[in-house]
Each structure stands twice: as C-alpha cells, then as structure tokens.
Amino acid sequence: MTRPCSRRHFLRLAATAPLAVHAGCGGSSSTSSSPSPTPSGADATVALVRANAYGGVGSAALREALQLLGGVGALVRGKTVTIKVNMTGWPMQPLFGRSPGESYVTNGELAFALADIFIENGATRIRIVDSEAAALPLEDVLAAAGWDVSALQALPNLEMENTRNLGQGSRYATLAVPDGGRIFSSFEVNHSYADTDVFVSLCKMKEHATAAGLTLSMKNLFGITPNSLYGLGGPAEDNLGYRGPIHGQAEGWTRLLPGEKPGFETQPVGVRVPRTIVDENLARPVHLAVVDGVRTIRGGEGWWNTGIAAIDPGVIVAGWNPVATDAVAAAVMGFDPRAPNGTTPFENRENHLLIAEQAGLGTADLTRIEVRGAAIADVRTPFRASSWRPQPLPLPGAPVG
C-alpha cells in the first residue's frame, strides 16, 4: 500500500468520490497535499441508537447504527482500517465505581465490536491507535483501562500501536492542511495515520473543560499528534509530556511546533485548540465517526477535572461526517451545536463546529442533518444541571461567533 485510498459516499450520494490523503506510506517524511473536504452537508446522515449497556447490547446497537447508515461493506472491504480511540489521562483510574471504559475513555467492548464488524465486512487489516503519555505498548494501556486485550488479539490481522512517537515506523509522515490551515499548515504524525485506507474516530461523549467545550469525534483527532514532537519537554523520541504546547504559550509553549504557522503564539487556548482541531480534521479526514454515549461523565473530560459526575445518555451516535455526527451528539447532550463563541458549552472559547463549517468540513445545522433511528428529543440527556447560558465573551481574532 503506497497511499490511502478513496472515501466512499453512501446513501443519497450513491457514488464514490475521491478523497485521497496523500502521505508517504510507512511514515514517509514527504509533505503531502491533503484532499478537499466534503462539501458541507453532503454526508449529513447520522444514526442515533439507544444502548443502555455494553457487551451484547452495545454491540447490537452499534450494528444497528451502521445498518441505518447503509452498512460499512463498501467502505472497508479489502482495506486497511485504522481506529483512533480516546485513551486520554494516563494513568488509567476508575471513576464513580466504574472502569475507565465506562466513564471517560473509549470502551473496549465497543471497540472490539467495531473491529469485528469491519472484519466481517472484509477489512484485511485493522489498526487500533492512540498517542499515549506512557512508555508502554498500546496493548498495556488498553489492558489498564479494562479492555480484554486477548480477545482483540484473537481477531485476525489486528494490530495496536502507541503513536506517541515513531513507533514501528522509520519516519514521521507529513499530513498537509489543504487550505493552508488556521494554526497549523501541516502535522508530523506516526505512520499509522497515513498508511491506511479508512480512518475511523471512535470517541467518548464528553465535555472538555480545558479548551474545546466538547470532546467528540473531531476533538478525538487532537491525539494524532505524537508526544515526542508536540508534548512538553520535546522534541525527543522518549518524551512523554502531554500536548500543552499546542494549547499555547500559557501552557508551556516555547517553540514553533512542527507545521505551526508563526504569528499565533500568544493566542489564548480557546482560540488555538478549536482551530487546531479543524486543521487536524482537514489534514486527516475521518471516514466514519462513532460516539460512545452509553456511559460517560459530565463536567469535564477525565478524572483530573473537578466537578465531574457520572451520566448515562444510553446512546450510540454514528455518521460518515464528523461535523454532523458531533452536532447530533451535542444536541443529545443538551447543547446547541451552533452556539455562538463564548456561550455554553463554548464558554471562553471558539466553537470548533462553526469553524469546521466555514472550512467546508460539514454542517452543524441540525435542520440539514438527517437523523435515522431515535429522535434527538427522545434521548436528550442534558449534561448541564441548569439552562443558564452566559453572555458571549470577546475572543481575539475569532472568525465566527
């Protein structure tokens, strides 16, 4: 395999559109020209399915969601499929008497079910990846989160890689942001993000107290950047520092990061992170977004946040377009996906869904999204205890709001 292949448009489009993500196979260092994003709304079909538990219940709900989208056979047959999970917050810790996978990270049973479905539909190779702040194989990180790693390893042609550095690659791959970017014009990443045909974002339904307001399928791509190059203390292959430098000068920025455009160094975290999320999704397009809203937390993204609590929306959200998928997930959480900058849940920050709309990545307008399965109103589970909404706050250089 020399380079990622095409993205397939399903359902109403009933055609295939090329979206080749050109990057060197196996971690080539040659800068690539990324694909043009899908026109806003072109893939705006999202499945919303009830699921009050993991295991067989969650697996059946996931299958139903993918069937509502028209199935994944045409997408994955004969392909290498990379599943980006969200294992943020090493070391793994239980919360509220629940395992990490039932509180703040991707659930292992759901990941197994997704990989199994891809294999049933003819995928030739599955990779599960994330960039972890641990000098451990990804298998050990997953096991610490309560995953049944032996069950995953029993699946044919399944690989796992901690993409915190070069890993199994000999060079970093360069993924270019096709429109030149807002904060980054390109990213240096582990080979796994380039050496693939299909890229899937499997994330947890959560708020993000630190910088993004929401952490869903788009925010999940913040973890494609290796700690070795983008973490505190870097650059160094053994660097385990978290990616504070992307947040900006106030959180440890001391140098221009790989692919970073000069002139934005002093912008606040609420500007830098949302715009970086959009740049990452343009550079490494998502072919399928799956949001685990079965059991999760509210009030933040992990055990390190104060004021968090367990919450059980009891849903799985899936779609071809990450912007539309995240918009539906946000609505399930009781939020307006097109909320102006500075308002709930984007207090003191920009709304990255609106920035993504402007970049042509998709639509966050619920009136333009076809929701299949459950109705949003029937499964809405507010993540905020009150309906209080702050007044919009001024954000320097905000493009939308």
Side-chain angles (χ1 to χ4, degrees):
M1 186 180 310
T2 56
R3 43 178 82 182
C5 300
S6 63
R7 172 182 183 171
R8 297 181 185 272
H9 289 246
F10 291 86
L11 308 169
R12 291 171 294 173
L13 298 183
T16 301
L19 279 176
V21 183
H22 302 296
C25 173
S28 167
S29 61
S30 59
T31 300
S32 63
S33 59
S34 298
S36 299
T38 303
S40 180
D43 288 41
T45 303
V46 177
L48 178 58
V49 178
R50 290 181 173 89
N52 61 8
Y54 294 105
V57 173
S59 176
L62 179 60
R63 288 177 180 274
E64 180 183 350
L66 298 180
Q67 289 168 359
L68 287 170
L69 293 176
V72 296
L75 178 71
V76 306
R77 189 171 298 115
K79 304 295 179 59
T80 292
V81 181
T82 296
I83 304 172
K84 166 65 176 66
V85 296
N86 179 1
M87 306 304 295
T88 186
W90 183 261
M92 295 295 162
Q93 298 184 21
L95 273 179
F96 312 113
R98 303 178 178 190
S99 70
E102 291 196 344
S103 50
Y104 66 99
V105 300
T106 300
N107 182 269
E109 292 176 320
L110 206 61
F112 176 91
L114 187 61
D116 195 36
I117 291 168
F118 290 155
I119 292 169
E120 287 177 8
N121 281 273
T124 55
R125 180 168 57 170
I126 307 291
R127 281 201 191 98
I128 296 178
V129 299
D130 200 5
S131 180
E132 300 302 325
L136 296 169
L138 187 60
E139 293 93 317
D140 293 350
V141 176
L142 301 179
W147 287 37
D148 187 345
V149 173
S150 61
L152 277 173
Q153 291 172 328
L155 292 174
N157 301 315
L158 185 138
E159 307 168 1
M160 291 168 268
E161 184 162 4
N162 185 347
T163 59
R164 68 180 181 87
N165 56 13
L166 284 172
Q168 299 172 23
S170 59
R171 295 182 179 179
Y172 288 103
T174 302
L175 300 181
V177 181
D179 66 357
R182 280 130 292 275
I183 300 293
F184 289 87
S185 61
S186 65
F187 297 92
E188 298 293 308
V189 297
N190 176 280
H191 73 98
S192 295
Y193 299 106
D195 181 17
T196 193
D197 302 303
V198 178
F199 186 61
V200 178
S201 178
L202 174 59
C203 66
K204 202 75 166 176
M205 179 182 285
K206 298 184 295 184
E207 294 174 83
H208 192 263
T210 307
L214 296 174
T215 178
L216 299 166
S217 71
M218 290 187 66
K219 172 62 172 63
N220 193 27
L221 268 63
F222 207 74
I224 70 172
T225 46
N227 304 66
S228 57
L229 300 180
Y230 295 85
L232 287 166
E237 277 297 288
D238 60 354
N239 179 34
L240 298 176
Y242 97 113
R243 288 172 285 271
I246 299 179
H247 288 193
Q249 198 169 49
E251 292 198 29
W253 179 90
T254 57
R255 66 189 188 283
L256 277 180
L257 300 166
E260 184 178 352
K261 300 166 64 175
F264 301 94
E265 298 86 347
T266 61
Q267 289 282 4
V269 62
V271 170
R272 285 180 60 92
V273 169
R275 298 186 191 191
T276 298
I277 292 168
V278 174
D279 289 344
E280 288 166 332
N281 278 263
L282 283 164
R284 174 56 277 175
V286 171
H287 299 98
L288 174 66
V290 180
V291 181
D292 168 11
V294 181
R295 307 186 82 187
T296 184
I297 59 172
R298 64 181 181 182
E301 63 267 25
W303 53 260
W304 52 94
N305 297 130
T306 58
I308 56 174
I311 189 169
D312 298 339
V315 295
I316 290 173
V317 190
W320 307 123
N321 184 278
V323 185
T325 303
D326 287 2
V328 172
V332 170
M333 299 166 75
F335 300 127
D336 175 7
R338 304 196 78 253
N341 293 341
T343 66
T344 305
F346 305 106
E347 297 96 338
N348 299 304
R349 57 184 69 96
E350 296 179 337
N351 180 345
H352 60 274
L353 298 178
L354 293 182
I355 302 172
E357 277 191 339
Q358 286 193 335
L361 269 168
T363 182
D365 184 348
L366 295 174
T367 67
R368 300 177 60 193
I369 300 170
E370 179 185 354
V371 180
R372 298 181 175 182
I376 293 173
D378 292 339
V379 297
R380 184 175 282 115
T381 307
F383 274 51
R384 298 288 179 92
S386 86
S387 59
W388 174 79
R389 300 177 69 88
Q391 293 299 309
L393 300 175
L395 292 171
V400 293

